[in-house]
Amino acid sequence: MKVLIPTTIPLVFPPRQEATFHSYDVTAPMPSEHLDAEVLVAWQNPAAQLASAAATLHSLQLVQALASGTDAIVAAGFAQSVKICSGRSLHDGPVAEHTLSLLFACIRRLDTLQLAQQNKHWDMDYGRRQAHAETASEYTLSGAHILIWGFGSIASKLAPVLTMLGAHVTGVASTPRHRGGYPVISDKQAREQLPVTDIVISLLPATAITENLFGSEFFPRMRRGSVFINVGRGSTVDEQSLITALKEGTLRVAAIDVTKDEPLPSTSPLWTVDNLIITPHVAGNRPQNAEDLIVRNVEALRTGAPLENLQ
């Protein structure tokens, strides 16, 4: 079985009789000698290159994405006979870490402190706001009520840390139930809790159901002065509604690692809106143990066993 491995990530595989691994450049057309490959591993492939692979890899059986979402793979137009598997679980740790980083930056307003540093200003007002009885709760996770939309494997790593710091965590998913010791409620139930929620975190993938889920009917329901963080997909957020919520003070601060258009154009109003922290889609930028997942799914494909993370 021939497996194509992208040069965008260093991957090392021991010699195997049942499979051969060949590198390919994601910025170039597929090498003609490898158009008979059965497995394509994708990581940071441009859309045009994926579309070309879909059109030319005539023996393809499986696309193994190393990203946690497969929306770019699906959009490339692979044949229905080609199975698509995500890299879910490869990014749990890194995304949880980045989410925590953005959350701490929002809660402790590290963005305003960074500006003060750049201006060589010792921000005494910050200290007074932080200590004031009416605003003190905004500068800590202790006692905060947090809703996490998309309560899967990433949330299972994130939630215990938030709990350890004193936050009250509730998950939101399509199937309400307890998961990992946390209550998981429906989208409808979660919206009813928005007026008493301090922080909303989105880990949602890009689907037809999640498109613009966080929009003009969502943000106005949030408690005034609350926090919103998106480390899922940019398509889930109506960006103009996010800007309005920040300008009107519904949101005290927000942080996003993803946007609808990536890279975010310099003309986007997101760059200049106050109280918004932006990072360039780097939350899950380092898949962990990718070789193990690839080998397991190649073997499963070869033997007819169930594939992991099949979409």
Side-chain angles (χ1 to χ4, degrees):
M1 185 166 289
K2 180 179 286 188
V3 183
L4 298 184
I5 303 296
T7 56
T8 44
I9 180 172
L11 298 173
V12 178
F13 299 91
R16 303 175 65 89
Q17 290 184 345
E18 64 274 17
T20 59
F21 299 87
H22 306 269
S23 296
Y24 73 95
D25 183 354
V26 302
T27 65
M30 286 294 175
S32 58
E33 67 271 21
H34 294 322
L35 296 182
D36 59 344
E38 289 99 343
V39 179
L40 174 69
V41 177
W43 175 243
Q44 297 179 341
N45 299 56
Q49 198 272 347
L50 283 174
S52 175
T56 58
L57 295 177
H58 53 78
S59 298
L60 196 63
Q61 299 179 42
L62 168 67
V63 178
Q64 175 62 65
L66 299 187
S68 55
T70 59
D71 43 301
I73 308 296
V74 172
F78 287 94
Q80 290 187 352
S81 60
V82 176
K83 296 177 175 61
I84 297 175
C85 292
S86 76
R88 181 168 49 86
S89 80
L90 302 182
H91 302 273
D92 291 356
V95 174
E97 291 172 3
H98 196 80
T99 305
L100 282 171
S101 299
L102 292 178
L103 182 53
F104 289 141
C106 287
I107 294 299
R108 304 306 296 240
R109 293 314 306 264
L110 298 186
D111 56 326
T112 62
L113 293 177
Q114 176 67 16
L115 288 173
Q117 178 184 345
Q118 292 173 356
N119 293 325
K120 302 177 182 178
H121 170 60
W122 192 265
D123 194 346
M124 299 291 290
D125 289 337
Y126 176 95
R128 283 189 284 270
R129 291 193 303 273
Q130 182 188 26
H132 197 284
E134 293 184 0
T135 58
S137 63
E138 296 180 351
Y139 290 84
T140 180
L141 289 176
S142 181
H145 290 271
I146 301 177
L147 288 173
I148 301 179
W149 252 265
F151 205 83
S153 57
I154 296 172
S156 69
K157 282 188 174 290
L158 177 64
V161 181
L162 300 176
T163 300
M164 180 185 66
L165 293 170
H168 306 287
V169 178
T170 300
V172 186
S174 56
T175 304
R177 61 182 178 181
H178 272 73
R179 188 177 302 171
Y182 292 91
V184 178
I185 60 179
S186 68
D187 179 271
K188 181 180 179 181
Q189 292 171 313
R191 287 172 183 264
E192 294 172 353
Q193 292 191 17
L194 287 178
V196 293
T197 296
D198 301 296
I199 300 163
V200 168
I201 298 172
S202 173
L203 301 170
L204 289 174
T207 68
I209 295 175
T210 64
E211 186 172 0
N212 291 325
L213 186 147
F214 305 105
S216 59
E217 295 184 0
F218 184 93
F219 290 117
R221 295 188 183 187
M222 293 184 69
R223 183 184 64 77
R224 186 169 182 82
S226 53
V227 175
F228 176 76
I229 294 175
N230 184 20
V231 287
R233 284 293 184 268
S235 64
T236 64
V237 176
D238 180 335
E239 293 173 346
Q240 185 54 56
S241 295
L242 173 63
I243 291 172
T244 299
L246 286 163
K247 288 183 175 180
E248 294 181 350
T250 302
L251 295 176
R252 180 170 70 102
V253 60
I256 55 175
D257 183 58
V258 288
T259 57
K260 286 186 181 295
D261 295 324
E262 296 180 2
L264 185 63
S266 60
T267 54
S268 172
L270 290 171
W271 287 118
T272 55
V273 67
D274 291 338
N275 303 318
L276 178 62
I277 299 170
I278 301 173
T279 55
H281 202 153
V282 292
N285 204 31
R286 49 189 193 282
Q288 298 178 327
N289 303 315
E291 291 97 336
D292 294 341
L293 176 61
I294 293 168
V295 167
R296 290 197 302 270
N297 267 350
V298 167
E299 182 63 13
L301 184 68
R302 188 181 70 84
T303 62
L307 292 162
E308 292 185 37
N309 301 346
L310 181 65
Q311 301 297 289

